[in-house]
Amino acid sequence: MKTVITYGTFDLFHEGHYNLLKRAKELGDRLIVGVTTEHFDEARGKVNVIDPIMKRIENVKNTGFADEIIIEDHEGQKIEDIQKYGADIFTVGSDWVGHFDYLKPFCEVVYLPRTPEISSTKIRSGKFKVIRIGIIGTGRVAPRFLYEANYVSGVNVDCAFNPDAESAGAFHKKTGLKVYADFDQFLKKVDAVYIASPHETHYLYAKSAMEAGKSVLCEKPMTFSRAAAEELYALAEEKGVVLMEAVKTAYCPGFQQLLTVAESGKIGEICDVEAAFTRLADPASREVTDSEYGGSFLEYGSYPLLPIIKLLGTEYEDVHIDSLPSANGNDAYTKIQIRYANAMATAKTGTGVKSEGQLVISGTKGYILAPSPWWLTKYFEIRYEDATKIESYHPNFMGDGLRYEISQFMLKINGVDTRGYRLTAQESIAMADITERFMAQREGSLSIAED
Ligand code: C2G
């Protein structure tokens, strides 16, 4: 008599879950299924769980594969259960390869291949639909996206697209995902795309995907000009799809809290926002070698621009841009000063210059200080004239932050948060406008240098 045990949230129950339970049962004679509580999901950083636990248990029960259903409600319970039920095999989908190797001293650990592509039927539970996402571009961030998507309920990363056969092959080998070289074929398989290809390709991929009726989560910078950004948001509206620029900080819970605290009047009128993001880049990396689309501002500019635009708005009066060039002709360091009617702001980015990565929001009564990594916003404080009076905030933050933007994307597609207030179209367009000014100035300085 072989006992198999498996666990999951089983939210918005779909064929991936069904297949997993079926194959888990086939591994032995008796199958025990642990269904997570809301509390445990919250503690392990799973966001967006929609179905209540009773419904999730019911769905597992209806498959007929589980001989026993238990509740998983705390860290460390798996080891306790394996011993309590005398489990011979622990199994889970291959999206967790390696993650549960710590159970090997207690029983056999089997990672069953996950079901990559979920068919479009039977993916709706009430008003929510499981969103099938395809990744465009298989570079550095794609595997992180895939991992973080495991923590977002209601999202399934189905496949990827990359016309370059070599990197497509490497990605497939690493993740098991099918990588399409034909864009139309790829689009047919998904409801939405995440664009993580080189900067200069974002606009065209976003446009083509939306024209095919797909929602788009696009890495920053989405475009290099105000007109292009306006065109994409208008197209999203026309096609009735979601377009979201992936400025991850905008969706982090701590950043949301920081904004509300800043706007609550605690620090008085906001007069100045200073934000910096610098990361010394590998000399062989695209940020350094790409003279046209590399450089610090295009890579990181959206991070410091975000708090400025969120807090001071899109009606700036003057933008002053200064850069120190790198040997490749892009910017090693950029400082942007933005003037508003009653406030001012500075954004700093660096790939060849290191600076303090902090966010300071100065007001008439006090200031907010968010130290590095403020862009994940795990901690910030309010300080006053009275230096002994410091109010500290420790917001919740899990993983590397991507899960929050993926979850927001999913909620928007499902019709929750239709306004997109975390990063509105106007705010994203303002970032494109500043990017356009940066590009124009760089062109100008290059042509002067050429003269
Ligand atoms: N799964 C799969 N194919 C998919 C999606 C999910 O095989 N396309 C598998 C997962 O790998 C997991 C099970 O279905 O084994 C349940 O998935 P989820 O409900 O997403 O639960 P998960 O977050 O993977 O929880 O303690 C809980 C465990 O850590 C797993």
Side-chain angles (χ1 to χ4, degrees), residues 61 94 135 162 166 282 311 322 351 425:
K61 194 170 157 200
S94 57
I135 305 179
N162 193 333
E166 198 179 317
D282 178 341
L311 290 166
D322 228 341
T351 44

Side-chain angles (χ1 to χ4, degrees), residues 9-10 44 46 72 78 92-93 95-96 100 114-115 156:
T9 305
F10 304 106
R44 73 187 179 112
K46 186 131 183 173
E72 184 183 30
K78 291 186 175 79
V92 70
D95 31 359
W96 297 108
F100 293 105
R114 78 189 268 279
T115 305
N156 196 66

Side-chain angles (χ1 to χ4, degrees), residues 96-379:
W96 297 108
V97 166
H99 200 88
F100 293 105
D101 287 358
Y102 72 92
L103 297 173
K104 282 183 178 168
F106 305 96
C107 68
E108 192 184 337
V109 173
V110 177
Y111 296 103
L112 288 168
R114 78 189 268 279
T115 305
E117 298 188 4
I118 305 286
S119 64
S120 54
T121 50
K122 291 201 209 149
I123 52 173
R124 189 171 276 283
S125 166
K127 72 189 236 259
F128 286 92
K129 180 173 177 265
V130 176
I131 307 302
R132 299 168 308 151
I133 298 189
I135 305 179
I136 297 177
T138 53
R140 274 178 293 181
V141 15
R144 273 174 38 213
F145 183 87
L146 190 57
Y147 180 76
E148 282 281 308
N150 282 342
Y151 285 95
V152 186
S153 200
V155 161
N156 196 66
V157 180
D158 280 51
C159 53
F161 166 78
N162 193 333
D164 178 73
E166 198 179 317
S167 48
F171 189 73
H172 172 71
K173 214 169 147 200
K174 192 166 174 183
T175 63
L177 280 194
K178 179 158 183 173
V179 186
Y180 289 88
D182 181 299
F183 196 58
D184 294 332
Q185 250 185 332
F186 160 78
L187 283 182
K188 281 196 190 109
K189 295 284 177 188
V190 297
D191 307 302
V193 298
Y194 167 57
I195 303 177
S197 51
H199 298 159
E200 64 276 21
T201 63
H202 290 173
Y203 163 80
L204 210 54
Y205 282 138
K207 188 174 168 178
S208 321
M210 288 194 289
E211 273 165 353
K214 310 297 172 182
S215 287
V216 170
L217 174 63
C218 185
E219 263 309 325
K220 60 199 164 40
M222 187 173 77
T223 65
F224 301 129
S225 75
R226 171 182 277 277
E230 283 173 347
E231 182 199 330
L232 291 184
Y233 282 107
L235 182 61
E237 188 114 321
E238 182 197 321
K239 293 282 177 187
V241 295
V242 171
L243 171 63
M244 232 173 85
E245 188 172 9
V247 185
K248 148 176 109 172
T249 308
Y251 310 99
C252 288
F255 186 70
Q256 289 302 310
Q257 191 182 13
L258 180 144
L259 292 180
T260 53
V261 169
E263 282 159 354
S264 71
K266 266 179 170 278
I267 60 165
E269 294 289 312
I270 299 172
C271 300
D272 189 20
V273 179
E274 296 170 271
F277 189 108
T278 64
R279 183 175 287 156
L280 291 181
D282 178 341
S285 68
R286 178 181 44 77
E287 293 94 292
V288 175
T289 57
D290 185 342
S291 58
E292 208 169 344
Y293 301 108
S296 82
F297 179 75
L298 289 184
E299 199 61 31
Y300 302 127
S302 339
Y303 288 125
L305 287 180
L306 177 75
I308 296 171
I309 289 171
K310 291 295 304 181
L311 290 166
L312 302 177
T314 56
E315 300 295 312
Y316 34 81
E317 294 181 342
D318 188 40
V319 179
H320 180 80
I321 303 166
D322 228 341
S323 295
L324 293 176
S326 74
N328 292 301
N330 57 37
D331 64 310
Y333 188 60
T334 286
K335 193 183 265 191
I336 299 194
Q337 270 162 316
I338 306 177
R339 187 72 167 93
Y340 290 82
N342 297 308
M344 55 176 81
T346 312
K348 291 198 300 187
T349 55
T351 44
V353 174
K354 190 67 196 162
S355 183
E356 183 63 42
Q358 64 182 13
L359 167 63
V360 182
I361 304 162
S362 310
T364 50
K365 292 185 185 162
Y367 66 96
I368 293 176
L369 170 67
S372 167
W374 65 263
W375 47 93
L376 307 179
T377 332
K378 295 173 177 179
Y379 175 78

Side-chain angles (χ1 to χ4, degrees), residues 10 13-23 63 65:
F10 304 106
F13 199 87
H14 59 64
E15 99 188 77
H17 301 141
Y18 182 91
N19 292 343
L20 189 284
L21 293 176
K22 182 169 188 285
R23 285 170 303 151
T63 63
F65 298 127

